[in-house]
Amino acid sequence: MVSPRLVAKIESEEPTLRLAVLIDADNAQAAVIEGILAEVARFGEASVKRIYGDFTSPNSSSWKKVLQKYAIKPVQQFAYTTGKNATDSTLIIDAMDLLYTRRLDGFCLITSDSDFTGLATRIREEGLLVLGFGEQKTPDAFRNACNKFILTEVLRRPAPEPEVVPNKSDAIPVAVAKLTPEGLDSTVFPKGFLLSALEESSDESGWAHLGTFGSYLTKLQPDFDSRVYGFKKLSDLVKAKTDLFITEERLPPGSQTQKQLYLRAK
C-alpha cells in the first residue's frame, strides 16, 4: 500500500511542463548541449527536440556527433542563397505549427540571433513559457523577449573551486581567486539593481521570501543569473553578501521540517 504521505506529496507537486527545444545550429554551440538539456530539465520535460541547419556544411560537423546521443531530430535546411539564412524561416514555421497544436506548455529557443525576437514575443502572447539560451553576445531585444534567458557560458563545466594555499612567509592562508565561467567578461556586481528589486518585492516590514525576490528579478531582467557572479544558486548569493542582505530561515505555517529563506536589506 502506498504511503498516504507519499500520495500527498505527489498530488501537491505541479505537473511537468511539456517543452519544445528548438536549436538554431548556425548560432549555437554543440559543446554546451549537455548543460542546456540539464537546465531545460529543471523547468520541465523536453517533449520535442529539434535542430535546424545545413548539416552538409563543415560548420555543422560538431553537431553531428551529439544528435544521436541526445535524441535530437535534425531538420536539414539547404542554404538556397549566399548571405540569406533559410534556417531561421524553417525554425519559425515549425515553432508556429507546434504552437497551434496546443500540446505544449513552453518553448526553449537555443540561439544568439535577435531574429527570433518576434517569435519569442508571439509565443508569450499565447501565454506559453519562453526560455532563451544564448551566448553573451546575444542582443538585449531577444533576451528581454523571453520569460527567462540563460547564458550558455555558465552551462559549461564548472570552474574549479578556490584553493587555499599556505603563505610560506607568514603562514597566513592565501585564497586563490575563483575563475569566472569560460567566455564571460568580468561583470560588475549589480548591487543597485538587487537592492531596488528587493525593495519592490518585500512586504511592509522589509522582508521578502527568496522565491518572490527571485521571481521579481527575472521579470525585471530575464537574463539575471547568479552563476554569472560565481554563485550556483540565488540563495548562495544572498547568504554570501552579508554587506547587503540579512537572511533568516522560517518555518511556513503548518510545517515542522521545511524551512524557507527570507531576506531584507541590511
Side-chain angles (χ1 to χ4, degrees):
M1 182 177 179
V2 179
S3 165
R5 289 185 61 187
L6 180 59
V7 172
K9 181 177 184 297
I10 294 173
E11 290 179 347
S12 66
E13 291 179 349
E14 295 183 0
T16 300
L17 296 179
R18 292 173 55 87
L19 303 173
V21 179
L22 307 181
I23 306 170
D24 175 12
D26 297 336
N27 288 284
Q29 294 186 357
V32 293
I33 188 59
E34 182 177 0
I36 288 174
L37 293 178
E39 190 75 8
V40 169
R42 293 179 56 229
F43 295 91
E45 176 189 357
S47 302
V48 177
K49 290 184 287 186
R50 299 179 186 175
I51 184 169
Y52 302 81
D54 183 0
F55 299 101
T56 63
S57 168
N59 296 332
S60 300
S61 58
S62 60
W63 280 109
K64 297 176 185 177
K65 301 174 183 178
V66 301
L67 298 185
Q68 185 173 1
K69 179 179 179 180
Y70 296 106
I72 302 172
K73 178 183 177 181
V75 179
Q76 170 64 32
Q77 180 58 59
F78 293 102
Y80 298 122
T81 307
T82 303
K84 299 293 183 180
N85 196 344
T87 300
D88 292 6
S89 301
T90 305
L91 191 157
I92 291 170
I93 292 170
D94 255 15
M96 296 307 294
D97 287 343
L98 289 168
L99 176 65
Y100 291 129
T101 64
R102 308 294 179 185
R103 293 185 292 107
L104 297 166
D105 302 301
F107 286 74
C108 304
L109 304 178
I110 321 300
T111 182
S112 300
D113 191 345
S114 63
D115 288 348
F116 294 101
T117 301
L119 174 63
T121 302
R122 181 68 184 88
I123 294 171
R124 289 188 64 179
E125 287 176 351
E126 291 295 318
L128 273 65
L129 176 71
V130 179
L131 302 175
F133 295 81
E135 298 176 0
Q136 193 174 25
K137 66 182 181 181
T138 306
D140 288 341
F142 178 66
R143 296 188 188 205
N144 294 327
C146 303
N147 293 100
K148 176 68 177 175
F149 182 84
I150 297 103
L151 290 169
T152 54
E153 285 88 349
V154 304
L155 301 179
R156 297 180 184 273
R157 291 183 178 180
E161 292 295 322
E163 297 179 5
V164 177
V165 297
N167 187 324
K168 295 181 179 179
S169 61
D170 52 12
I172 298 176
V174 178
V176 178
K178 187 172 183 178
L179 300 175
T180 56
E182 182 183 351
L184 282 179
D185 297 334
S186 57
T187 308
V188 177
F189 187 77
K191 175 181 175 180
F193 168 67
L194 290 173
L195 291 176
S196 297
L198 178 57
E199 183 179 359
E200 294 297 328
S201 57
S202 60
D203 58 21
E204 293 181 356
S205 64
W207 288 93
H209 181 268
L210 181 68
T212 304
F213 176 56
S215 177
Y216 195 78
L217 286 175
T218 302
K219 289 178 181 177
L220 290 179
Q221 190 172 311
D223 60 353
F224 178 82
D225 195 323
S226 60
R227 290 170 293 189
V228 172
Y229 308 101
F231 299 94
K232 186 177 180 180
K233 299 178 180 179
L234 180 60
S235 58
D236 297 333
L237 185 152
V238 299
K239 288 178 180 178
K241 295 294 181 179
T242 54
D243 58 324
L244 299 179
F245 308 113
I246 299 172
T247 60
E248 182 179 290
E249 291 188 343
R250 304 176 185 174
L251 283 172
S255 174
Q256 298 299 320
T257 56
Q258 189 67 35
K259 290 187 176 181
Q260 297 180 349
L261 187 65
Y262 286 77
L263 69 152
R264 65 173 299 171
K266 190 167 184 178

